[in-house]
Every structure is written in structure tokens, then in C-alpha cells.
Amino acid sequence: MANISFTLKVWRQNGPKADGHFDTFEMKDIPTDTSFLEMLDILNEQLIEEGKEPFVFDHDCREGICGMCSLYINGHPHGPATGATTCQLYMRRFHDGDVITVEPWRSAAFPIIKDCMVDRSAFDKIMQAGGYVSVRTGQPQDANAILIPKEKADEAMDAATCIGCGCCVAACKNGSAMLFVSSKVSQLALLPQGRPEAAKRAKAMVMKMEELGFGNCTNTRACEAECPKNESIANIARLNREFIKAKLND
């Protein structure tokens, strides 16, 4: 098992209105099979032993499911690994002597809480605006009670894999949340259960996105390139169609 040593620069900031700065640390003999978050754990253990304040970052499942590990690493949301979250990034991706720079998501809609932890409750507000289906609960229906073409079911499932991490916003030069919103709209719009509220959903979620300060989409496809779940901008085209149809039916 190989070890590497490198320079780590991490963003430190006490809150959304405080001035931020980079702190630099020399990391020595880190095993290459260590995950990126485990490496940050090692850093924090060292800082605590020295009586210093640990570096704050988000994490939860560490299995690529929750999307909490929102770090901007060397110019890439979640780091240089394609189709992976930060917790799925391992130190073997880096080389001995590298300089690794860690920053938070940069978006007016994601204010910094502390260091590299940001407030992503804006996504929750967008979902509350229309990312749901109003259905009667109770005894579940038979799986074949509502027939859905496999192609549509597969598309809806692909859209539903979005974990809401905010990577698309961080990657976009405009800070747009269109890939997130369109994925959440698509997973419902493609299914018959989601059609009754389709018009209301598209308008409500887009309006809430704009209200919260996210930027506009200019189709640079940076969001698609960096998304850890490989969401397609075809979802954005679908959202635009849903929104236009809704406006025409006003």
C-alpha cells in the first residue's frame, strides 16, 4: 500500500458575512486507499490534538447516496472523479507533492454556515413548492394496476437518482439549479401519477427557484459533466416544455 504526502489548502470562514481565507497544511504519509473524507478526518484529529479548531465540512452516509459531501476540490465539484461524490473519491487520484485546494459550493443561494458547510435548504423549499404528488394513502395498489411503458419508467428512475447535492449549482457559472429542478420535475412528469399536477408543479418550482436567487441556465452543460449521478440536460428540455405548456394553459 502506497502513501503520499501533499499540501492541503482548505477554506475557512466563520459565517456568511465573515471574511474567509485559506489555511494550508502539510499532510504526510497518507495511505492512497484512504477516502477524501477520511483524509479530512485525519486532518481534524491532528488539529484537535494541537488544540486548534477542526475544519468543518458536511458528511453523512459516506456511500454516495445522501449528497452531503459537498466539496469543491481543485476546481471540480466533488473532485476530479467522474460520476462520483466526494466520499467516493480516494487519495489514489492524487500524486505525491500535489497541492489540493478545497472550497465550499459557491452560490448566493447556498450561504456558508462555516468553512465548507453551506446551507442548502433552498433545495428543500423548491421541493416544497411542487416536488410531490397528492395521492390517497392506504392500501398499496397492485404493481400492474397502473400500466407504465418501460421506457418511461426507466427515464423516470434515471431522473429520480438525483441526490440533490447541489453539484450542478456549484459547477454552473450562473449558479443555476435547472438540472436539479428539471430532474425532480421529470421523475414525476413522466409517470401518470404526476400528470394531474404537472402544470402547477413546473410553474411553482421554477418560480421558487428564481425567488431564491439561483441563476439562469445558458446550456454550458457543466452541470451534466460534473453531476455525480450523470443526470442529463434532456431533463432541462423537458422542464422547459412543461413550463411553456403550463403558461399557455393559464
Side-chain angles (χ1 to χ4, degrees):
M1 181 176 62
N3 291 351
I4 61 171
S5 298
F6 52 89
T7 300
L8 181 67
K9 297 174 64 177
V10 298
W11 184 257
R12 309 302 297 264
Q13 187 171 340
N14 285 326
K17 296 183 179 180
D19 292 333
H21 65 277
F22 282 105
D23 277 352
T24 302
F25 304 97
E26 297 299 326
M27 305 298 292
K28 302 292 186 182
D29 299 322
I30 303 297
T32 54
D33 64 353
T34 302
S35 76
F36 199 88
L37 296 189
E38 288 171 340
M39 180 274 293
L40 294 179
D41 290 339
I42 293 171
L43 168 66
N44 279 342
E45 288 173 1
Q46 294 175 0
L47 291 174
I48 292 170
E49 286 177 1
E50 295 169 3
K52 298 177 181 177
E53 189 173 9
F55 169 61
V56 177
F57 61 97
D58 255 332
H59 62 93
D60 191 5
C61 75
R62 300 201 177 197
E63 294 179 349
I65 298 171
C66 72
M68 292 294 287
C69 51
S70 48
L71 296 176
Y72 202 85
I73 304 165
N74 284 356
H76 294 277
H78 289 302
T82 303
T85 52
T86 303
C87 61
Q88 296 171 306
L89 176 67
Y90 286 82
M91 299 313 298
R92 55 179 169 266
R93 281 272 179 176
F94 303 96
H95 301 95
D96 202 60
D98 276 356
V99 176
I100 302 174
T101 303
V102 182
E103 301 172 78
W105 283 177
R106 301 290 190 181
S107 170
F110 291 160
I112 290 177
I113 297 172
K114 188 173 177 62
D115 296 346
C116 285
M117 178 185 286
V118 301
D119 181 356
R120 288 175 295 174
S121 61
F123 273 9
D124 296 328
K125 294 174 183 176
I126 291 173
M127 292 299 292
Q128 291 164 4
Y132 55 85
V133 179
S134 296
V135 295
R136 292 171 59 188
T137 59
Q139 186 70 25
Q141 290 183 312
D142 183 83
N144 295 321
I146 301 176
L147 298 179
I148 302 171
K150 184 178 186 304
E151 180 182 340
K152 293 295 183 184
D154 288 346
E155 281 189 80
M157 181 60 75
D158 288 343
T161 60
C162 168
I163 56 177
C165 66
C167 167
C168 50
V169 177
C172 179
K173 66 178 183 179
N174 305 319
S176 173
M178 280 291 280
L179 190 62
F180 164 75
V181 175
S182 64
S183 295
K184 295 307 177 184
V185 166
S186 289
Q187 73 182 63
L188 298 173
L190 285 160
L191 301 176
Q193 297 94 325
R195 293 315 304 167
E197 296 169 304
K200 175 184 176 182
R201 179 182 306 112
K203 287 192 295 182
M205 293 180 75
V206 169
M207 289 175 65
K208 180 58 70 172
M209 175 182 66
E210 293 178 350
E211 174 191 322
L212 292 168
F214 291 100
N216 295 318
C217 174
T218 51
N219 287 317
T220 65
R221 304 185 72 170
C223 56
E224 182 182 59
E226 299 285 2
C227 176
K229 297 302 175 182
N230 299 312
E231 293 292 340
S232 170
I233 62 166
N235 291 320
I236 297 178
R238 183 177 293 108
L239 171 60
N240 288 334
R241 290 195 298 271
E242 292 288 322
F243 184 79
I244 291 170
K245 282 192 294 185
K247 296 295 286 184
L248 291 174
N249 291 331
D250 278 348

